[in-house]
Amino acid sequence: MLITVSGPAGSGKSTLAKSLADALSYDHVSGGDIFRSLAEERGMTPLELNKAAEEDDQIDRDLDCRLRDIAAERDDLVLESRLAGWMAGEYADIKLWLTAPLDVRADRIAQRENKPFEQARAETQERGQSEAQRYNDYYDINFDDLSIYDLSVNTARWDPQGVLSVTLHAIDSYRADGDEGKAPIENIRYEF
Ligand SMILES: Nc1ncnc2c1ncn2[C@@H]1O[C@H](COP(=O)(O)OP(=O)(O)OP(=O)(O)O)[C@@H](O)[C@H]1O
Ligand SMILES: Nc1ccn([C@@H]2O[C@H](COP(=O)(O)O)[C@@H](O)[C@H]2O)c(=O)n1
């Protein structure tokens, strides 16, 4: 199966994707892995590529194109990034969405990156708004539209082990013969 894990910054995507891949003995590919590969191919550090991406939208598009190619080619994989669900589209078997209130995510990011809460909160909010605008401009994606996902989990309500249990239960309970049909993602422009 191809499982995607999407959500905003600090929602717990990497944490869940790693533990899901371990539990299922699947491979795990993250947007961060792809971004690091793109940087290496260009002879840049990820930080340098991140700065370049502010001026050059082709860098975001290359990352998203790589996500879509991986989704088309691979199986028994957990694919994790903001847009994994949108990019994998019809190739994904189960699309998971993780979220948590902004204050919770900002607090996690403040701890992870060792910065003040207010700073993390402002940066996370601003980055989220800027990303949502870019996804809309590039691909006509409404990042707030959760109708494409099969399961949404508020990770503020369960610890990482709890989130893993909830999602593993959903995956284990999935029966292809009882599936009434994947809903196609409509009106997205896969233009890279
Ligand atoms: N269910 C949870 N409950 C409490 N803390 C969590 C939970 N899931 C993840 N965390 C913690 O929140 C922080 C952010 O998690 P993680 O890096 O997995 O998020 P992310 O969505 O991949 O973030 P980003 O998009 O910014 O890379 C980490 O410190 C992680 O340990
Ligand atoms: N313009 C960008 C795009 C991506 N990154 C890095 O890739 C990681 C994955 O991004 P997703 O949106 O696919 O989750 C992200 O955490 C960044 O490390 C970036 O720096 N700049």
Side-chain angles (χ1 to χ4, degrees):
M1 280 206 286
L2 173 65
I3 297 168
T4 62
V5 180
S6 310
S11 57
K13 297 182 294 297
S14 304
T15 304
L16 175 67
K18 279 187 207 119
S19 60
L20 259 186
D22 276 354
L24 298 167
S25 299
Y26 282 10
D27 286 339
H28 164 218
V29 173
S30 72
D33 295 334
I34 299 171
F35 195 75
R36 280 185 285 279
S37 309
L38 290 173
E40 204 179 338
E41 286 164 23
R42 288 164 167 80
M44 297 166 95
T45 65
L47 191 62
E48 285 166 347
L49 189 63
N50 191 290
K51 287 211 166 22
E54 285 167 19
E55 307 293 323
D56 178 3
D57 68 28
Q58 193 55 46
I59 294 168
D60 284 327
R61 292 180 196 273
D62 286 353
L63 189 154
D64 296 328
C65 182
R66 197 78 56 103
L67 277 172
R68 186 146 174 81
D69 287 346
I70 290 170
E73 289 160 11
R74 302 272 305 266
D75 196 12
D76 291 350
L77 179 74
V78 181
L79 187 62
E80 169 237 326
S81 91
R82 302 270 191 292
L83 292 188
W86 288 97
M87 290 300 139
E90 68 277 23
Y91 302 119
D93 293 290
I94 296 184
K95 298 197 276 295
L96 304 174
W97 171 260
L98 302 185
T99 190
L102 175 63
D103 281 1
V104 172
R105 295 186 289 111
D107 189 44
R108 291 173 180 171
I109 290 168
Q111 290 187 40
R112 187 183 65 190
E113 294 171 15
N114 203 17
K115 55 174 70 156
F117 168 79
E118 286 303 338
Q119 182 188 342
R121 191 182 191 286
E123 287 173 359
T124 304
Q125 189 168 34
E126 192 181 330
R127 189 176 162 199
Q129 285 164 350
S130 148
E131 285 171 350
Q133 185 61 53
R134 292 206 312 267
Y135 303 150
N136 193 262
D137 293 345
Y138 299 164
Y139 313 119
D140 282 348
I141 286 174
N142 174 3
F143 194 60
D144 295 327
D145 174 7
L146 304 189
S147 66
I148 69 156
Y149 297 103
D150 302 306
L151 182 70
S152 166
V153 181
N154 176 356
T155 65
R157 306 301 306 280
W158 289 271
D159 67 7
Q161 184 58 43
V163 176
L164 175 65
S165 301
V166 168
T167 51
L168 265 184
H169 185 72
I171 293 162
D172 287 343
S173 317
Y174 174 73
R175 299 281 174 269
D177 56 8
D179 185 342
E180 293 181 276
K182 287 183 195 172
I185 298 184
E186 288 169 345
N187 303 323
I188 181 170
R189 286 186 290 118
Y190 291 115
E191 289 172 6
F192 304 108

mmCIF file with all atom_site columns, all heavy atoms in Angstrom, residues 33-48:
data_model
loop_
_atom_site.group_PDB
_atom_site.id
_atom_site.type_symbol
_atom_site.label_atom_id
_atom_site.label_alt_id
_atom_site.label_comp_id
_atom_site.label_asym_id
_atom_site.label_entity_id
_atom_site.label_seq_id
_atom_site.pdbx_PDB_ins_code
_atom_site.Cartn_x
_atom_site.Cartn_y
_atom_site.Cartn_z
_atom_site.occupancy
_atom_site.B_iso_or_equiv
_atom_site.pdbx_formal_charge
_atom_site.auth_seq_id
_atom_site.auth_comp_id
_atom_site.auth_asym_id
_atom_site.auth_atom_id
_atom_site.pdbx_PDB_model_num
ATOM 1   N N   . ASP A 1 33 ? 13.705 14.619 2.886  1.00 0.00 ? 33 ASP A N   1
ATOM 2   C CA  . ASP A 1 33 ? 14.690 13.761 2.181  1.00 0.00 ? 33 ASP A CA  1
ATOM 3   C C   . ASP A 1 33 ? 14.848 14.237 0.739  1.00 0.00 ? 33 ASP A C   1
ATOM 4   O O   . ASP A 1 33 ? 15.966 14.332 0.215  1.00 0.00 ? 33 ASP A O   1
ATOM 5   C CB  . ASP A 1 33 ? 14.212 12.294 2.117  1.00 0.00 ? 33 ASP A CB  1
ATOM 6   C CG  . ASP A 1 33 ? 14.119 11.632 3.480  1.00 0.00 ? 33 ASP A CG  1
ATOM 7   O OD1 . ASP A 1 33 ? 14.845 12.065 4.391  1.00 0.00 ? 33 ASP A OD1 1
ATOM 8   O OD2 . ASP A 1 33 ? 13.317 10.685 3.628  1.00 0.00 ? 33 ASP A OD2 1
ATOM 9   N N   . ILE A 1 34 ? 13.704 14.496 0.088  1.00 0.00 ? 34 ILE A N   1
ATOM 10  C CA  . ILE A 1 34 ? 13.746 14.908 -1.319 1.00 0.00 ? 34 ILE A CA  1
ATOM 11  C C   . ILE A 1 34 ? 14.452 16.258 -1.427 1.00 0.00 ? 34 ILE A C   1
ATOM 12  O O   . ILE A 1 34 ? 15.274 16.475 -2.321 1.00 0.00 ? 34 ILE A O   1
ATOM 13  C CB  . ILE A 1 34 ? 12.323 14.975 -1.919 1.00 0.00 ? 34 ILE A CB  1
ATOM 14  C CG1 . ILE A 1 34 ? 11.671 13.596 -1.850 1.00 0.00 ? 34 ILE A CG1 1
ATOM 15  C CG2 . ILE A 1 34 ? 12.356 15.491 -3.355 1.00 0.00 ? 34 ILE A CG2 1
ATOM 16  C CD1 . ILE A 1 34 ? 10.191 13.595 -2.210 1.00 0.00 ? 34 ILE A CD1 1
ATOM 17  N N   . PHE A 1 35 ? 14.127 17.157 -0.491 1.00 0.00 ? 35 PHE A N   1
ATOM 18  C CA  . PHE A 1 35 ? 14.739 18.493 -0.520 1.00 0.00 ? 35 PHE A CA  1
ATOM 19  C C   . PHE A 1 35 ? 16.257 18.378 -0.371 1.00 0.00 ? 35 PHE A C   1
ATOM 20  O O   . PHE A 1 35 ? 17.015 19.037 -1.083 1.00 0.00 ? 35 PHE A O   1
ATOM 21  C CB  . PHE A 1 35 ? 14.145 19.352 0.599  1.00 0.00 ? 35 PHE A CB  1
ATOM 22  C CG  . PHE A 1 35 ? 14.430 20.818 0.431  1.00 0.00 ? 35 PHE A CG  1
ATOM 23  C CD1 . PHE A 1 35 ? 13.754 21.553 -0.520 1.00 0.00 ? 35 PHE A CD1 1
ATOM 24  C CD2 . PHE A 1 35 ? 15.378 21.440 1.217  1.00 0.00 ? 35 PHE A CD2 1
ATOM 25  C CE1 . PHE A 1 35 ? 14.011 22.916 -0.684 1.00 0.00 ? 35 PHE A CE1 1
ATOM 26  C CE2 . PHE A 1 35 ? 15.640 22.795 1.056  1.00 0.00 ? 35 PHE A CE2 1
ATOM 27  C CZ  . PHE A 1 35 ? 14.949 23.529 0.108  1.00 0.00 ? 35 PHE A CZ  1
ATOM 28  N N   . ARG A 1 36 ? 16.705 17.487 0.513  1.00 0.00 ? 36 ARG A N   1
ATOM 29  C CA  . ARG A 1 36 ? 18.156 17.298 0.696  1.00 0.00 ? 36 ARG A CA  1
ATOM 30  C C   . ARG A 1 36 ? 18.778 16.718 -0.574 1.00 0.00 ? 36 ARG A C   1
ATOM 31  O O   . ARG A 1 36 ? 19.883 17.117 -0.964 1.00 0.00 ? 36 ARG A O   1
ATOM 32  C CB  . ARG A 1 36 ? 18.424 16.395 1.903  1.00 0.00 ? 36 ARG A CB  1
ATOM 33  C CG  . ARG A 1 36 ? 18.326 17.141 3.233  1.00 0.00 ? 36 ARG A CG  1
ATOM 34  C CD  . ARG A 1 36 ? 18.705 16.266 4.417  1.00 0.00 ? 36 ARG A CD  1
ATOM 35  N NE  . ARG A 1 36 ? 17.660 15.300 4.742  1.00 0.00 ? 36 ARG A NE  1
ATOM 36  C CZ  . ARG A 1 36 ? 16.561 15.586 5.454  1.00 0.00 ? 36 ARG A CZ  1
ATOM 37  N NH1 . ARG A 1 36 ? 16.375 16.804 5.934  1.00 0.00 ? 36 ARG A NH1 1
ATOM 38  N NH2 . ARG A 1 36 ? 15.654 14.669 5.704  1.00 0.00 ? 36 ARG A NH2 1
ATOM 39  N N   . SER A 1 37 ? 18.071 15.785 -1.256 1.00 0.00 ? 37 SER A N   1
ATOM 40  C CA  . SER A 1 37 ? 18.608 15.234 -2.521 1.00 0.00 ? 37 SER A CA  1
ATOM 41  C C   . SER A 1 37 ? 18.719 16.328 -3.574 1.00 0.00 ? 37 SER A C   1
ATOM 42  O O   . SER A 1 37 ? 19.710 16.393 -4.308 1.00 0.00 ? 37 SER A O   1
ATOM 43  C CB  . SER A 1 37 ? 17.688 14.161 -3.115 1.00 0.00 ? 37 SER A CB  1
ATOM 44  O OG  . SER A 1 37 ? 17.378 13.214 -2.197 1.00 0.00 ? 37 SER A OG  1
ATOM 45  N N   . LEU A 1 38 ? 17.676 17.177 -3.656 1.00 0.00 ? 38 LEU A N   1
ATOM 46  C CA  . LEU A 1 38 ? 17.709 18.265 -4.651 1.00 0.00 ? 38 LEU A CA  1
ATOM 47  C C   . LEU A 1 38 ? 18.893 19.184 -4.379 1.00 0.00 ? 38 LEU A C   1
ATOM 48  O O   . LEU A 1 38 ? 19.569 19.646 -5.314 1.00 0.00 ? 38 LEU A O   1
ATOM 49  C CB  . LEU A 1 38 ? 16.401 19.074 -4.615 1.00 0.00 ? 38 LEU A CB  1
ATOM 50  C CG  . LEU A 1 38 ? 15.143 18.382 -5.136 1.00 0.00 ? 38 LEU A CG  1
ATOM 51  C CD1 . LEU A 1 38 ? 13.906 19.241 -4.867 1.00 0.00 ? 38 LEU A CD1 1
ATOM 52  C CD2 . LEU A 1 38 ? 15.252 18.104 -6.630 1.00 0.00 ? 38 LEU A CD2 1
ATOM 53  N N   . ALA A 1 39 ? 19.150 19.455 -3.087 1.00 0.00 ? 39 ALA A N   1
ATOM 54  C CA  . ALA A 1 39 ? 20.275 20.331 -2.727 1.00 0.00 ? 39 ALA A CA  1
ATOM 55  C C   . ALA A 1 39 ? 21.594 19.676 -3.144 1.00 0.00 ? 39 ALA A C   1
ATOM 56  O O   . ALA A 1 39 ? 22.455 20.322 -3.770 1.00 0.00 ? 39 ALA A O   1
ATOM 57  C CB  . ALA A 1 39 ? 20.264 20.604 -1.220 1.00 0.00 ? 39 ALA A CB  1
ATOM 58  N N   . GLU A 1 40 ? 21.740 18.384 -2.860 1.00 0.00 ? 40 GLU A N   1
ATOM 59  C CA  . GLU A 1 40 ? 22.979 17.667 -3.187 1.00 0.00 ? 40 GLU A CA  1
ATOM 60  C C   . GLU A 1 40 ? 23.216 17.682 -4.703 1.00 0.00 ? 40 GLU A C   1
ATOM 61  O O   . GLU A 1 40 ? 24.329 17.937 -5.167 1.00 0.00 ? 40 GLU A O   1
ATOM 62  C CB  . GLU A 1 40 ? 22.866 16.235 -2.672 1.00 0.00 ? 40 GLU A CB  1
ATOM 63  C CG  . GLU A 1 40 ? 24.212 15.590 -2.426 1.00 0.00 ? 40 GLU A CG  1
ATOM 64  C CD  . GLU A 1 40 ? 24.053 14.171 -1.887 1.00 0.00 ? 40 GLU A CD  1
ATOM 65  O OE1 . GLU A 1 40 ? 22.996 13.828 -1.322 1.00 0.00 ? 40 GLU A OE1 1
ATOM 66  O OE2 . GLU A 1 40 ? 25.022 13.417 -2.075 1.00 0.00 ? 40 GLU A OE2 1
ATOM 67  N N   . GLU A 1 41 ? 22.141 17.427 -5.470 1.00 0.00 ? 41 GLU A N   1
ATOM 68  C CA  . GLU A 1 41 ? 22.265 17.407 -6.935 1.00 0.00 ? 41 GLU A CA  1
ATOM 69  C C   . GLU A 1 41 ? 22.728 18.751 -7.481 1.00 0.00 ? 41 GLU A C   1
ATOM 70  O O   . GLU A 1 41 ? 23.359 18.825 -8.524 1.00 0.00 ? 41 GLU A O   1
ATOM 71  C CB  . GLU A 1 41 ? 20.914 17.051 -7.574 1.00 0.00 ? 41 GLU A CB  1
ATOM 72  C CG  . GLU A 1 41 ? 20.561 15.585 -7.417 1.00 0.00 ? 41 GLU A CG  1
ATOM 73  C CD  . GLU A 1 41 ? 19.081 15.314 -7.705 1.00 0.00 ? 41 GLU A CD  1
ATOM 74  O OE1 . GLU A 1 41 ? 18.441 16.115 -8.414 1.00 0.00 ? 41 GLU A OE1 1
ATOM 75  O OE2 . GLU A 1 41 ? 18.573 14.296 -7.190 1.00 0.00 ? 41 GLU A OE2 1
ATOM 76  N N   . ARG A 1 42 ? 22.383 19.838 -6.769 1.00 0.00 ? 42 ARG A N   1
ATOM 77  C CA  . ARG A 1 42 ? 22.776 21.175 -7.228 1.00 0.00 ? 42 ARG A CA  1
ATOM 78  C C   . ARG A 1 42 ? 24.072 21.638 -6.573 1.00 0.00 ? 42 ARG A C   1
ATOM 79  O O   . ARG A 1 42 ? 24.476 22.788 -6.749 1.00 0.00 ? 42 ARG A O   1
ATOM 80  C CB  . ARG A 1 42 ? 21.672 22.186 -6.893 1.00 0.00 ? 42 ARG A CB  1
ATOM 81  C CG  . ARG A 1 42 ? 20.423 22.048 -7.735 1.00 0.00 ? 42 ARG A CG  1
ATOM 82  C CD  . ARG A 1 42 ? 19.276 22.806 -7.079 1.00 0.00 ? 42 ARG A CD  1
ATOM 83  N NE  . ARG A 1 42 ? 18.128 22.985 -7.932 1.00 0.00 ? 42 ARG A NE  1
ATOM 84  C CZ  . ARG A 1 42 ? 17.198 22.078 -8.171 1.00 0.00 ? 42 ARG A CZ  1
ATOM 85  N NH1 . ARG A 1 42 ? 17.302 20.880 -7.623 1.00 0.00 ? 42 ARG A NH1 1
ATOM 86  N NH2 . ARG A 1 42 ? 16.167 22.349 -8.954 1.00 0.00 ? 42 ARG A NH2 1
ATOM 87  N N   . GLY A 1 43 ? 24.697 20.772 -5.765 1.00 0.00 ? 43 GLY A N   1
ATOM 88  C CA  . GLY A 1 43 ? 25.934 21.151 -5.069 1.00 0.00 ? 43 GLY A CA  1
ATOM 89  C C   . GLY A 1 43 ? 25.692 22.243 -4.043 1.00 0.00 ? 43 GLY A C   1
ATOM 90  O O   . GLY A 1 43 ? 26.558 23.095 -3.799 1.00 0.00 ? 43 GLY A O   1
ATOM 91  N N   . MET A 1 44 ? 24.501 22.252 -3.430 1.00 0.00 ? 44 MET A N   1
ATOM 92  C CA  . MET A 1 44 ? 24.165 23.280 -2.438 1.00 0.00 ? 44 MET A CA  1
ATOM 93  C C   . MET A 1 44 ? 23.855 22.606 -1.102 1.00 0.00 ? 44 MET A C   1
ATOM 94  O O   . MET A 1 44 ? 23.543 21.410 -1.064 1.00 0.00 ? 44 MET A O   1
ATOM 95  C CB  . MET A 1 44 ? 22.911 24.068 -2.882 1.00 0.00 ? 44 MET A CB  1
ATOM 96  C CG  . MET A 1 44 ? 23.100 24.842 -4.162 1.00 0.00 ? 44 MET A CG  1
ATOM 97  S SD  . MET A 1 44 ? 21.520 25.397 -4.827 1.00 0.00 ? 44 MET A SD  1
ATOM 98  C CE  . MET A 1 44 ? 21.413 27.032 -4.162 1.00 0.00 ? 44 MET A CE  1
ATOM 99  N N   . THR A 1 45 ? 23.922 23.381 -0.009 1.00 0.00 ? 45 THR A N   1
ATOM 100 C CA  . THR A 1 45 ? 23.433 22.863 1.264  1.00 0.00 ? 45 THR A CA  1
ATOM 101 C C   . THR A 1 45 ? 21.906 23.064 1.276  1.00 0.00 ? 45 THR A C   1
ATOM 102 O O   . THR A 1 45 ? 21.381 23.928 0.552  1.00 0.00 ? 45 THR A O   1
ATOM 103 C CB  . THR A 1 45 ? 24.036 23.627 2.457  1.00 0.00 ? 45 THR A CB  1
ATOM 104 O OG1 . THR A 1 45 ? 23.557 24.977 2.388  1.00 0.00 ? 45 THR A OG1 1
ATOM 105 C CG2 . THR A 1 45 ? 25.565 23.610 2.441  1.00 0.00 ? 45 THR A CG2 1
ATOM 106 N N   . PRO A 1 46 ? 21.174 22.305 2.129  1.00 0.00 ? 46 PRO A N   1
ATOM 107 C CA  . PRO A 1 46 ? 19.723 22.524 2.206  1.00 0.00 ? 46 PRO A CA  1
ATOM 108 C C   . PRO A 1 46 ? 19.387 23.973 2.555  1.00 0.00 ? 46 PRO A C   1
ATOM 109 O O   . PRO A 1 46 ? 18.420 24.540 2.031  1.00 0.00 ? 46 PRO A O   1
ATOM 110 C CB  . PRO A 1 46 ? 19.282 21.553 3.311  1.00 0.00 ? 46 PRO A CB  1
ATOM 111 C CG  . PRO A 1 46 ? 20.303 20.464 3.280  1.00 0.00 ? 46 PRO A CG  1
ATOM 112 C CD  . PRO A 1 46 ? 21.600 21.132 2.928  1.00 0.00 ? 46 PRO A CD  1
ATOM 113 N N   . LEU A 1 47 ? 20.216 24.597 3.416  1.00 0.00 ? 47 LEU A N   1
ATOM 114 C CA  . LEU A 1 47 ? 19.951 25.997 3.791  1.00 0.00 ? 47 LEU A CA  1
ATOM 115 C C   . LEU A 1 47 ? 20.093 26.918 2.578  1.00 0.00 ? 47 LEU A C   1
ATOM 116 O O   . LEU A 1 47 ? 19.269 27.813 2.347  1.00 0.00 ? 47 LEU A O   1
ATOM 117 C CB  . LEU A 1 47 ? 20.909 26.415 4.916  1.00 0.00 ? 47 LEU A CB  1
ATOM 118 C CG  . LEU A 1 47 ? 20.586 27.741 5.586  1.00 0.00 ? 47 LEU A CG  1
ATOM 119 C CD1 . LEU A 1 47 ? 19.221 27.693 6.257  1.00 0.00 ? 47 LEU A CD1 1
ATOM 120 C CD2 . LEU A 1 47 ? 21.668 28.088 6.617  1.00 0.00 ? 47 LEU A CD2 1
ATOM 121 N N   . GLU A 1 48 ? 21.139 26.668 1.767  1.00 0.00 ? 48 GLU A N   1
ATOM 122 C CA  . GLU A 1 48 ? 21.334 27.484 0.550  1.00 0.00 ? 48 GLU A CA  1
ATOM 123 C C   . GLU A 1 48 ? 20.164 27.284 -0.417 1.00 0.00 ? 48 GLU A C   1
ATOM 124 O O   . GLU A 1 48 ? 19.664 28.245 -1.013 1.00 0.00 ? 48 GLU A O   1
ATOM 125 C CB  . GLU A 1 48 ? 22.658 27.085 -0.139 1.00 0.00 ? 48 GLU A CB  1
ATOM 126 C CG  . GLU A 1 48 ? 23.891 27.616 0.577  1.00 0.00 ? 48 GLU A CG  1
ATOM 127 C CD  . GLU A 1 48 ? 25.187 26.958 0.104  1.00 0.00 ? 48 GLU A CD  1
ATOM 128 O OE1 . GLU A 1 48 ? 25.143 25.933 -0.599 1.00 0.00 ? 48 GLU A OE1 1
ATOM 129 O OE2 . GLU A 1 48 ? 26.262 27.478 0.475  1.00 0.00 ? 48 GLU A OE2 1
#
